[in-house]
Amino acid sequence: MTTPHQRAEAELIAYGLTLPETEAGLGWAFTRVVRVRGKMFVILGDKAQPKDELTIIVKLPTSFEMVQDLPFVRESRGWYRQHDWAIAHFGPDDDILAELPTLKAWMRQSYVAMAPKRLGRQVSEA
């Protein structure tokens, strides 16, 4: 039986793969990623994360500061903060499925930020 967090991750990866020239794969030893032309635009998972939790990292150049007060957003530090990468963490009691529209919008923003300009324009104009 899958958890809501696992269903959300599967749906987010499927959404990411609908964007032009993307691929899903493994990131570091414990993460999964979606890339556009080899550049990660979403990172899923964290070290030793249980199946009923999910961490999502995306680049949010236009809304990074606005999302910092959301209850599921963790403080970004170092390189992540410097480059506007937001870290969302959903624990066992969080309704991650209710946040899917927000997370998909963040993925879209991250895709546009990381994709070559021509691909980013295709998505931002759609």
Side-chain angles (χ1 to χ4, degrees):
M1 181 183 221
T2 60
T3 68
H5 298 74
Q6 291 170 313
R7 289 195 304 275
E9 180 175 346
E11 188 170 331
L12 292 170
I13 289 172
Y15 173 73
L17 293 174
T18 67
L19 300 169
E21 299 188 35
T22 55
E23 65 179 7
L26 295 177
W28 301 282
F30 47 83
T31 62
R32 285 86 49 211
V33 299
V34 183
R35 297 180 187 93
V36 54
R37 288 209 184 158
K39 290 184 173 183
M40 294 183 290
F41 68 95
V42 63
I43 304 165
L44 300 144
D46 201 353
K47 188 174 185 177
Q49 193 161 67
K51 293 179 184 203
D52 61 350
E53 293 186 23
L54 184 61
T55 299
I56 303 162
I57 304 171
V58 289
K59 184 172 180 70
L60 299 178
T62 57
S63 60
F64 178 80
E65 293 300 326
M66 290 183 282
V67 306
Q68 295 307 303
D69 291 331
L70 294 172
F72 51 83
V73 173
R74 289 185 173 171
E75 182 181 356
S76 299
R77 293 195 172 123
W79 185 91
Y80 286 115
R81 181 169 188 75
Q82 200 172 31
H83 296 279
D84 299 328
W85 286 81
I87 303 169
H89 177 78
F90 296 89
D93 297 328
D94 295 324
D95 187 1
I96 189 171
L97 297 175
E99 299 299 336
L100 283 177
T102 298
L103 297 172
K104 288 177 182 179
W106 289 5
M107 285 177 66
R108 188 178 187 91
Q109 185 181 150
S110 189
Y111 174 90
V112 170
M114 297 305 293
K117 290 192 186 316
R118 179 184 61 81
L119 295 176
R121 278 193 301 272
Q122 286 178 13
V123 169
S124 62
E125 294 170 358

